[in-house]
Amino acid sequence: MEVPVDLSHHINEKSRARHPSPLKDIIKFMGEEGMISLAGGLPHPSLFPLHEVSFKVPGPPGLGQPLDARQQQSSDLTIGRDPVSDQIDLTQFLQYGNGSGNRQLLALCNDLTQRVHAPPCQYQCLLHPGNTNAWAKVVGLLCEDKDFVIVEEYTYPSAQALWVPLGIKAVPVAADEQGIQAGQLRQLLEDWDEDVRGAKRPHVLYLVSVGSNPTGITISAQRRLVEDDPYYFLQYPSYQDSLACTKPQQKTSDDFLKTLTPSFLSLDTQGRVIRLESFSKTLFPGLRLGYFVANPLFTERLLRATEVETQDPAGLSQAYVLGILQSWGIDGYLSWLQSLQFQYLTRRNWLLDSFSEHFTLEAAEKSPLTSADSLVASIRTKDGTLRRPVFSFVDPTAGMFVWSKFYFDKVPRFIELQRTDHQDPEQAFADELWKAWASELVLLTPGSYYHPWQGFEKTTTKARGADPSTAHFRFSFATPTQHEIRAGVKRMSEVIQRFWE
């Protein structure tokens, strides 16, 4: 493996000042054979009111089995307080830990990382209580107050909400179907003027690199730094390609991994990438469990923050994940992920099928909006002679969302708002449209939630330099049933007919 380059200059002043927790140092010695500890303040395990936990868990779909084999009869995963057997000892998960997480679980996270990404540079894994908290720790590691962070053109709002009180601002870089545009990123950094900006050139790039929330874009291998990647395993073929494959076949683990876009981590030869892994999308969000994969220089500082901020992730979550990964094995877990991949592909297709049912859906180059995103949804005028574009979107090949760009330029109500010299007619009409949908009992997520925070002076459509007469909305196909998706798109289209005609 490559040795990381010296990146210590990227660690901020606060993180440099962190010291190891002395209490955690004591815990290291408590495990030595024959040690009598009169030092710690750990509650005695006999007083913990929990002796055994049992989970009903499915087995992963096996090779050659139908992809819905996860519905097979469940089995018991029982974890008890039995330190003398070769079973998982529940006691160790009920007690305070050392901050880095259970050793056996960390070993499996390392195995999974090596199998999936094969990082060319030295790395370490460190457990964390979910990617939201993990990102907070990364900001506390790398960013000074009033820094700038480079982000995609539309960015996950919780990631930004964390840094706004610190005076940190986003610097958005435009993206296309292949993700953030490398040429524009290079130009931004080359042209950065510290005197004009009032801050040093940004050194942190935050990306959801696969199935981005909200855009659904996956950065191509040609454009592959903080990599927040909870949707990595939810990659699938394009809508048109998937229609030609009515009966997907389960692949071997190695063949499955070959179908996935290479991660930044797999290309990092200098130790610059901090990857945030999560079990939220692959198992369930309530676990609040994931892990960092990063240069040991960074994980050591992240551990110092963990010791005094969050301790370990929840012990029962660690016990469950360790138990299920030991039960399934790495190949079984990858088989489970293939099943998830197919489930989200199917849901994506339900949504796009519904678009086709209520709109004329065509490639941008064949539509009235040749320069739009890859697919355009239009309605017919009353006489049926003209197509009137309503929204465009990139066909998502990962994740849970469709990111749509709506066009307002010929909508009577929007034109009326423009004539009133409204400060932001685009946002005002988008708000009216959202409320009209809500009144018909269908919800979309407003695109305004994902605008990069650039300061109070850049909140309107014009000030942000966004395309005039447009706004964005996000569709999610993750939760609703097929019936609900069809009913929701029908309600949405009926509201659109009222406004666009």
Side-chain angles (χ1 to χ4, degrees), residues 247-262:
K247 208 172 183 182
Q249 296 297 313
Q250 187 113 355
K251 301 177 179 67
T252 65
S253 295
D254 289 342
D255 287 343
F256 167 57
L257 293 175
K258 288 175 185 175
T259 68
L260 304 179
T261 299

Side-chain angles (χ1 to χ4, degrees), residues 16-27:
R16 288 173 189 272
R18 289 192 183 277
H19 289 266
S21 168
L23 296 177
K24 297 301 181 184
D25 280 346
I26 288 177
I27 288 178

Side-chain angles (χ1 to χ4, degrees), residues 404-422:
S404 60
K405 183 177 185 178
F406 278 68
Y407 301 89
F408 300 155
D409 52 321
K410 299 218 172 98
V411 179
R413 175 56 182 156
F414 174 70
I415 295 170
E416 182 182 332
L417 286 168
Q418 282 183 310
R419 288 172 179 163
T420 64
D421 292 327
H422 196 286

Side-chain angles (χ1 to χ4, degrees), residues 62-333:
L63 297 179
Q65 290 181 306
L67 285 171
D68 62 358
R70 63 193 183 91
Q71 302 294 340
Q72 63 188 299
Q73 186 175 2
S74 61
S75 59
D76 287 329
L77 173 61
T78 300
I79 304 173
R81 295 169 64 172
D82 185 7
V84 298
S85 75
D86 59 357
Q87 302 295 313
I88 298 173
D89 177 15
L90 180 61
T91 304
Q92 63 183 303
F93 294 97
L94 302 180
Q95 188 58 275
Y96 289 114
N98 61 9
S100 60
N102 176 265
R103 290 181 183 178
Q104 291 173 284
L105 181 53
L106 278 171
L108 283 170
C109 291
N110 272 288
D111 291 346
L112 184 61
T113 299
Q114 192 61 38
R115 183 77 179 275
V116 175
H117 305 287
C121 197
Q122 291 176 3
Y123 68 92
Q124 284 184 344
C125 294
L126 175 70
L127 295 187
H128 62 65
N131 278 15
T132 300
N133 177 267
W135 171 238
K137 288 189 172 75
V138 170
V139 171
L141 170 76
L142 300 175
C143 299
E144 305 285 4
D145 290 358
K146 303 189 183 308
D147 266 0
F148 284 83
V149 173
I150 302 170
V151 299
E152 297 165 277
E153 192 172 13
Y154 299 98
T155 300
Y156 181 55
S158 293
Q160 302 185 78
L162 168 78
W163 71 54
V164 171
L166 305 176
I168 295 172
K169 295 180 182 178
V171 188
V173 177
D176 57 23
E177 293 178 39
Q178 295 186 60
I180 195 168
Q181 296 182 16
Q184 293 212 20
L185 174 59
R186 184 181 299 109
Q187 196 69 46
L188 167 74
L189 295 174
E190 288 177 351
D191 295 346
W192 191 268
D193 188 319
E194 294 189 358
D195 292 330
V196 172
R197 295 278 192 167
K200 65 183 181 182
R201 188 170 65 174
H203 68 123
V204 177
L205 168 62
Y206 170 78
L207 289 170
V208 181
S209 53
V210 171
S212 176
N213 182 1
T215 63
I217 291 172
T218 295
I219 297 176
S220 66
Q222 289 73 27
R223 294 188 186 174
R224 300 258 130 187
L225 268 108
V226 176
E227 185 177 27
D228 183 0
D229 211 357
Y231 309 104
Y232 184 73
F233 294 104
L234 307 184
Q235 300 181 46
Y236 32 74
S238 69
Y239 179 58
Q240 289 299 326
D241 289 344
S242 68
L243 295 179
C245 182
T246 56
K247 208 172 183 182
Q249 296 297 313
Q250 187 113 355
K251 301 177 179 67
T252 65
S253 295
D254 289 342
D255 287 343
F256 167 57
L257 293 175
K258 288 175 185 175
T259 68
L260 304 179
T261 299
S263 65
F264 279 102
L265 184 69
S266 70
L267 306 174
D268 179 19
T269 60
Q270 296 187 329
R272 296 182 179 274
V273 172
I274 300 176
R275 182 175 173 83
L276 311 185
E277 295 276 12
S278 174
F279 292 109
S280 292
K281 304 302 187 295
T282 60
L283 294 175
F284 54 88
L287 284 169
R288 306 316 308 143
L289 183 65
Y291 56 100
F292 298 99
V293 187
N295 183 331
L297 170 78
F298 294 146
T299 56
E300 188 274 336
R301 290 289 91 189
L302 290 166
L303 177 58
R304 300 287 83 85
T306 298
E307 289 172 345
V308 296
E309 290 179 0
T310 56
Q311 300 265 2
D312 277 343
L316 289 180
S317 293
Q318 293 189 59
Y320 169 81
V321 174
L322 175 60
I324 205 165
L325 289 181
Q326 285 187 343
S327 174
W328 288 356
I330 297 297
D331 284 303
Y333 181 57

